[in-house]
């Protein structure tokens, strides 16, 4: 569908420019920290968006590789996307001359744990790269996949406990949800926001799980 891909290309061109500006502004105004990803659409809007997503059986993982979603890219100076998110989502984060976080604390929204070493924190792709591949991203260009994997403008990236991120893997909300139940409404709002923006499909079980949670938000 050329119209969809053309719209995606325009969106991602804007995304690349705004992400670079946002990252520059973020770093320039340190040490103030947002301490969270960008706010997703409301539950009501997420319900509307969900109703507009294409429902389709999950595609094949054939051909998938994380290398096809280049990350973490340089955002500003010596800082790559991971380091920008660590700064954004943390509290009192201090970075060295290479932009590595040498101190600070991070509250993991998924499980409620707090960490004081950046090595204990992963940057989770809200919609995992493999999930994106199987729901539409296999047809994207590498530039589009790179923009998706480094998106600082949508609620696609969040700093969380490393082993919790690893337990999530590439599972969708029908298969995995944060153990911290108070965060689940926010989680599915973020998921739907990202899927809608990038014109990604949902499978029937995924849609049912998302609807169930959103209806209680």
């Amino acid at each position: 569908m050329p119209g969809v891909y053309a719209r995606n290309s325009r969106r991602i061109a804007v995304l690349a420019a705004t992400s670079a500006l946002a990252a520059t502004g973020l770093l320039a105004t340190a040490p103030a920290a947002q301490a969270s990803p960008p706010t997703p659409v409301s539950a009501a809007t997420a319900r509307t968006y969900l109703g507009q997503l294409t429902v389709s059986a999950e595609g094949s993982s054939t051909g998938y590789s994380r290398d096809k979603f280049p990350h973490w890219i340089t955002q500003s100076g010596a800082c790559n996307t991971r380091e920008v998110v660590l700064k954004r989502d943390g509290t009192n984060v201090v970075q060295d001359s290479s932009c590595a976080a040498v101190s600070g604390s991070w509250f993991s929204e998924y499980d409620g744990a707090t960490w004081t070493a950046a090595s204990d924190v992963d940057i989770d792709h809200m919609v995992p790269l493999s999930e994106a591949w199987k729901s539409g991203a296999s047809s994207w260009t590498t530039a589009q996949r790179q923009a998706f994997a480094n998106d600082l403008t949508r609620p696609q990236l969040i700093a969380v406990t490393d082993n919790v991120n690893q337990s999530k893997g590439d599972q969708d909300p029908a298969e995995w949800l944060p153990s911290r139940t108070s965060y689940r409404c926010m989680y599915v709002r973020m998921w739907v926001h990202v899927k809608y923006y990038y014109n990604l499909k949902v499978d029937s079980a995924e849609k049912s799980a998302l609807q169930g949670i959103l209806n209680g938000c």
Side-chain angles (χ1 to χ4, degrees):
M1 295 171 56
V4 171
Y5 300 138
R7 185 163 71 254
N8 249 6
S9 297
R10 288 194 297 274
R11 283 175 171 174
I12 289 171
V14 171
L15 164 64
T18 54
S19 291
L21 289 172
T24 302
L26 173 68
L27 295 168
T29 57
Q34 179 179 326
S36 63
T39 302
V41 295
S42 68
T45 300
R47 286 192 289 270
T48 299
Y49 281 4
L50 181 59
Q52 296 173 6
L53 292 178
T54 299
V55 179
S56 176
E58 193 168 80
S60 170
S61 59
T62 300
Y64 168 73
S65 166
R66 287 179 67 84
D67 293 341
K68 292 184 178 180
F69 293 78
H71 65 288
W72 305 111
I73 63 170
T74 299
Q75 292 288 346
S76 178
C79 301
N80 67 25
T81 308
R82 171 181 163 83
E83 291 150 351
V84 170
V85 177
L86 284 173
K87 178 73 172 179
R88 182 197 71 188
D89 289 5
T91 302
N92 298 322
V93 177
V94 176
Q95 296 169 311
D96 65 18
S97 59
S98 66
C99 208
V102 293
S103 65
S105 65
W106 292 268
F107 176 78
S108 172
E109 296 282 9
Y110 290 0
D111 59 333
T114 298
W115 303 97
T116 57
S119 59
D120 289 322
V121 178
D122 276 358
I123 307 305
D124 179 41
H125 289 97
M126 171 57 54
V127 175
L129 305 183
S130 175
E131 165 68 20
W133 178 271
K134 292 179 286 189
S135 52
S138 60
S139 64
W140 294 354
T141 64
T142 299
Q144 288 175 312
R145 289 192 287 263
Q146 175 176 295
F148 175 83
N150 297 275
D151 189 351
L152 294 167
T153 306
R154 260 56 56 185
Q156 164 65 347
L157 301 172
I158 182 171
V160 297
T161 302
D162 55 0
N163 64 340
V164 172
N165 180 49
Q166 290 153 24
S167 73
K168 171 183 172 179
D170 65 354
Q171 298 178 94
D172 69 35
E175 303 159 323
W176 188 93
L177 287 165
S179 61
R180 189 166 162 254
T181 55
S182 62
Y183 196 69
R184 289 182 178 178
C185 277
M186 178 67 74
Y187 184 85
V188 298
R189 285 165 54 199
M190 294 165 75
W191 183 281
V192 172
H193 186 152
V194 172
K195 280 231 162 172
Y196 180 84
Y197 181 83
Y198 284 99
N199 301 304
L200 294 170
K201 300 173 184 177
V202 290
D203 63 46
S204 57
E206 175 187 354
K207 181 175 182 177
S208 179
L210 291 164
Q211 281 179 324
I213 295 169
L214 285 172
N215 287 342
C217 292

